[in-house]
């Protein structure tokens, strides 16, 4: 009985659901009986059980392989659709700019929907209120970074901690490089590197339908309906100190003297490239 539980990874043959996830991981022993040997009845039962388990394992492995292939094909198809969506959006903006220029008008760029916030100050001489706001924004360490949605509550919170953070509007290239290079997911409250689509499927697949890295990037960049779950799934990015250093942390980026804290809009991409 205990051998049976070990070989099946804790499940018995009477359990309702087959162990598809770990079917290929556990070996089922095969017993070779010499010809002409009398096999006891209990050994015969054990051999019959092992044969049944081997067949179930083979079926489970095959089903898992088929499901994995189907998932990869669907993800590949969705990735192509996302690329077309990104390129169509850029072409549309270019056409609108040209049309406005030909008509002698000004083209108003669409408002940004996504923010990337980086903490640039440590914990020394930090008053309680900004410390609590940074904690709510999940910026608990120096050079931590998070994706946030542009809305009134977030902008009000950023006003309270403006001297301690810098933020801006990341491009698609920046989002993709951050997720692929430094992306870690929160799986059962643990920080797991996103080295496989299975990590994302396990954390987000059932609730949101996000099955792979490109699905996650699309949801973050377009600020989709499941942005909250996707951003919460991503562990705060632990960035390096920027190559070349900061200019002056005591002054704001938009001041005449020049500095680092505050809103730097599209220029955040250059800073992230130096920190990634």
């Amino acid at each position: 009985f205990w051998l049976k539980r070990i070989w099946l990874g804790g499940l018995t043959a009477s359990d309702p659901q087959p162990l598809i996830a770990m079917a290929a991981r556990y070996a089922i022993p095969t017993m070779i009986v010499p010809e002409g040997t009398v096999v006891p009845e209990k050994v015969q039962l054990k051999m019959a059980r092992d044969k049944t388990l081997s067949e179930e394992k083979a079926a489970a492995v095959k089903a898992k392989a088929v499901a994995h292939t189907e998932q990869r094909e669907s993800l590949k198809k969705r990735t192509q659709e996302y690329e077309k969506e990104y390129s169509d959006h850029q072409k549309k903006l270019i056409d609108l700019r040209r049309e406005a220029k030909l008509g002698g008008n000004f083209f108003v760029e669409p408002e940004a929907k996504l923010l990337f916030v980086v903490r640039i100050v440590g914990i020394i001489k930090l008053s309680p209120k900004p410390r609590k706001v940074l904690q709510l924004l999940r910026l608990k360490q120096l050079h931590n970074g998070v994706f946030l949605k542009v809305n009134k509550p977030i902008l009000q919170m950023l006003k309270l901690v403006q001297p301690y953070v810098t933020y801006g509007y990341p491009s698609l290239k920046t989002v993709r490089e951050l997720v692929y290079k430094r992306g870690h997911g929160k799986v059962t409250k643990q920080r797991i590197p996103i080295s496989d689509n299975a990590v994302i499927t396990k954390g987000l697949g059932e609730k949101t339908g996000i099955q792979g890295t490109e699905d996650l990037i699309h949801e973050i960049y377009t600020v989709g309906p499941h942005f909250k779950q996707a951003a919460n799934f991503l562990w705060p990015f632990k960035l390096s100190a920027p190559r070349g250093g900061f200019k002056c942390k005591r002054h704001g980026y938009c001041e005449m003297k020049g500095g680092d804290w505050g809103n730097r809009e599209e220029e955040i991409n250059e800073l992230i490239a130096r920190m990634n």
Side-chain angles (χ1 to χ4, degrees):
F1 174 77
W2 289 110
L3 285 174
K4 185 186 342 183
R5 295 194 70 85
I6 292 169
W7 292 333
L8 283 171
L11 291 180
T12 61
S14 60
D15 285 322
Q17 294 181 347
L19 191 66
I20 296 177
M22 291 188 284
R25 186 173 165 185
Y26 291 96
I28 297 171
T30 55
M31 192 176 296
I32 301 172
V33 179
E35 191 177 348
T37 306
V38 178
V39 181
E41 185 179 353
K42 286 194 174 182
V43 177
Q44 289 180 3
L45 291 172
K46 192 181 291 186
M47 291 171 64
R49 182 203 62 193
D50 290 344
K51 183 180 178 182
T52 304
L53 292 177
S54 298
E55 292 172 355
E56 289 178 0
K57 176 186 172 182
V61 169
K62 186 177 179 181
K64 185 181 178 184
V66 170
H68 182 66
T69 304
E70 291 176 355
Q71 184 178 337
R72 282 182 64 86
E73 288 297 324
S74 62
L75 183 60
K76 183 180 177 182
K77 186 178 179 182
R78 287 199 302 275
T79 303
Q80 292 171 350
E81 293 173 358
Y82 296 152
E83 290 298 329
K84 187 175 184 300
E85 180 185 337
Y86 301 144
S87 61
D88 289 347
H89 180 66
Q90 291 299 323
K91 288 177 183 176
K92 184 180 178 182
L93 288 178
I94 291 169
D95 291 342
L96 289 172
R97 291 190 193 103
R98 286 174 178 169
E99 185 180 340
K101 188 175 181 181
L102 289 172
N105 299 318
F106 292 102
F107 175 70
V108 180
E109 297 288 339
E111 292 186 4
K113 298 185 289 182
L114 179 67
L115 281 173
F116 188 77
V117 186
V118 182
R119 179 170 176 169
I120 60 172
V121 175
I123 60 172
I124 298 175
K125 295 183 180 179
L126 195 63
S127 58
K129 194 168 186 178
R131 181 179 298 184
K132 183 62 179 177
V133 174
L134 288 169
Q135 184 182 343
L136 292 173
L137 294 174
R138 302 193 300 157
L139 298 170
K140 297 182 180 181
Q141 292 177 323
L142 181 66
H143 299 155
N144 271 14
V146 292
F147 289 112
L148 296 174
K149 186 190 291 188
V150 178
N151 54 31
K152 190 173 181 181
I154 292 294
L155 295 177
Q156 291 293 337
M157 290 173 75
L158 287 175
K159 280 184 182 179
L160 296 172
V161 295
Q162 211 159 32
Y164 313 110
V165 297
T166 184
Y167 54 93
Y169 313 131
S171 63
L172 174 63
K173 179 175 180 286
T174 300
V175 175
R176 185 170 278 152
E177 286 180 352
L178 280 170
V179 173
Y180 273 111
K181 185 175 180 180
R182 294 187 183 264
H184 286 72
K186 188 193 298 179
V187 181
T188 60
K189 298 183 180 179
Q190 292 179 323
R191 184 172 181 262
I192 307 297
I194 302 176
S195 57
D196 190 3
N197 288 331
V199 177
I200 299 172
T201 304
K202 185 178 180 182
L204 293 171
E206 293 182 6
K207 295 181 181 178
T208 62
I210 298 173
Q211 301 289 343
T213 311
E214 287 298 329
D215 285 344
L216 181 63
I217 292 169
H218 180 263
E219 192 70 24
I220 292 290
Y221 180 67
T222 60
V223 190
H226 301 295
F227 174 82
K228 182 179 178 181
Q229 292 90 332
N232 191 50
F233 167 77
L234 282 172
W235 202 278
F237 295 92
K238 296 186 177 184
L239 302 174
S240 304
R243 290 187 298 276
F246 288 109
K247 189 172 183 181
C248 183
K249 290 185 182 181
R250 294 190 305 276
H251 293 276
Y253 184 79
C254 298
E255 293 179 8
M256 284 188 66
K257 183 178 180 180
D260 289 306
W261 59 260
N263 186 3
R264 52 179 72 203
E265 298 184 354
E266 281 77 18
E267 297 299 320
I268 192 70
N269 297 299
E270 183 268 337
L271 176 66
I272 295 171
R274 291 192 288 126
M275 298 181 77
N276 196 2

